[in-house]
Amino acid sequence: MIPALIIWLCKKYLAPKTYKTYSSKSPINPKSVASVLFLICSFSSAFAQQSKFNIKRNGEVIGQMYFQQKDDGDNVYLKITSKVQTRFVFKIDVETEDVAHFKNGKLLNSNVNRVVNGNAKEAKKTSWVNNVYQLKTGNKTSTINQPISYNMMLLYTKEPVNIPEIYSDNFQCFIPIQKNGAHQYRINLPDGNYNDYHFENGICKLVVVNHSLYTIRMERV
């Protein structure tokens, strides 16, 4: 499945003639496909760790989230996918895919992708380039000079013991980590919402997403 996808992407988006006919309205930018392919290739073999979370709202399961981690020498590859279907005033269908690559404990690159009701949102990309982190959201580019050794994805596999702040690949900034109790932590997000993370034996078992309009529980199965 993965090799076939890679071949299809190469033929469709990396061939020279495709660059000539590429439209800015296309949901996939061919210039970014090469870096995405590298991350896809990293997940072509078995994962060292896989876990599933049920996503619940008002006690009802509205979707699932899958966390995957692969260790390969000094390299650590992370992937999180989720799909949620629920209804507020109208139906909401959200699909996400986050991938990250660490080497020797340092983030090299990450990608955050969201599709809401069939519409792809601007991808968020963080890449280590020329000794700085290059941040991209659509056509916007900025940089961060601070080293990134712990991001939001690592919360699902490593309790943030003695870690004062965390990098958000989605908001593309560092956020303080607040300890609320034994093995419990709160992340206050820049948009005014916050998430609570609960750990057992160093592993995340529960995430409570506290939004101004709703509360969602993500429970490890």
Side-chain angles (χ1 to χ4, degrees), residues 72-76 101-109:
D72 183 10
D74 297 328
N75 297 284
V76 175
H101 172 205
F102 285 82
K103 185 171 184 178
N104 294 319
K106 181 175 71 175
L107 179 69
L108 294 187
N109 49 67

Side-chain angles (χ1 to χ4, degrees), residues 32 36 110-113 123-127 134-136 172:
S32 65
V36 176
S110 68
N111 291 273
V112 175
N113 299 280
K124 308 289 185 68
K125 302 179 184 297
T126 301
S127 305
Q134 187 177 86
L135 315 179
K136 289 187 177 182
Q172 296 182 314

Side-chain angles (χ1 to χ4, degrees), residues 53-54 56 155-156 183-185 195-200 203-209 216-221:
F53 289 77
N54 279 333
K56 295 182 177 181
L155 281 167
Y156 294 95
H183 311 294
Q184 298 180 26
Y185 304 83
N195 298 343
D196 290 326
Y197 295 82
H198 302 256
F199 293 80
E200 292 181 13
I203 301 297
C204 183
K205 296 293 186 179
L206 170 67
V207 181
V208 182
V209 178
I216 286 179
R217 293 173 61 90
M218 297 166 47
E219 302 174 354
R220 190 184 185 103
V221 178

